Amino acid sequence: MFFVDRSVAVIKPKQPFHQWLHALPDNDLDLTLDTLRSNCNAILLPDFDEPEKCVAYLDEIYEQLFKMELAGWCEDTALWPQDMSLKAFWEWFDVEIHSQVFDSVEGDITNRPAGETE
């Protein structure tokens, strides 16, 4: 195992996200909030020594995170919520922050833009 000099944030939808998702037109998904929260996006962050610094960093990039979470379910931005403020982000998502990240795979990590496949 190899220590990775990053922190990680796990973005977990809350009830407002769940309600928005089920209100989308032509949505036949029958997902519970617990199901949504069981397999969430994990974001690598700089290696912070204090949780407050990590939260401050998330506050800086919240708009990207908000859009990423919405786009994962609906690409039509006209259907996205009107209020995508920092306050709304924290109302729509819980964030678990983990300060230690380990890589169990030997070999280099490959970077590619979000949404791009090999």
Side-chain angles (χ1 to χ4, degrees), residues 7-116:
S7 297
V8 66
V10 180
I11 314 297
K12 294 189 166 206
K14 291 166 62 173
Q15 189 61 36
F17 183 91
H18 185 252
Q19 289 172 325
W20 167 79
L21 181 61
H22 282 282
L24 291 173
D26 300 324
N27 179 358
D28 58 355
L29 296 173
D30 188 24
L31 295 173
T32 66
L33 182 56
D34 286 340
T35 302
L36 278 176
R37 293 173 60 89
S38 68
N39 185 16
C40 303
N41 289 322
I43 311 301
L44 290 176
L45 306 172
D47 188 19
F48 291 108
D49 54 352
E50 297 174 24
E52 296 81 14
K53 290 182 180 179
C54 194
V55 171
Y57 182 80
L58 290 170
D59 285 350
E60 291 176 21
I61 65 168
Y62 84 90
E63 191 172 357
Q64 286 176 273
L65 297 174
F66 212 150
K67 289 177 180 179
M68 177 191 71
E69 291 293 328
L70 297 171
W73 295 94
C74 175
E75 293 183 3
D76 185 352
T77 59
L79 298 174
W80 290 4
Q82 290 185 352
D83 181 6
M84 291 180 53
S85 64
L86 177 60
K87 181 178 184 283
F89 174 79
W90 289 108
E91 290 171 350
W92 280 49
F93 302 98
D94 282 325
V95 180
E96 285 183 6
I97 298 169
H98 303 274
S99 60
Q100 294 193 21
V101 177
F102 295 89
D103 188 351
S104 67
V105 179
E106 287 193 39
D108 295 334
I109 294 174
T110 305
N111 292 320
R112 45 179 205 269
E116 182 180 297

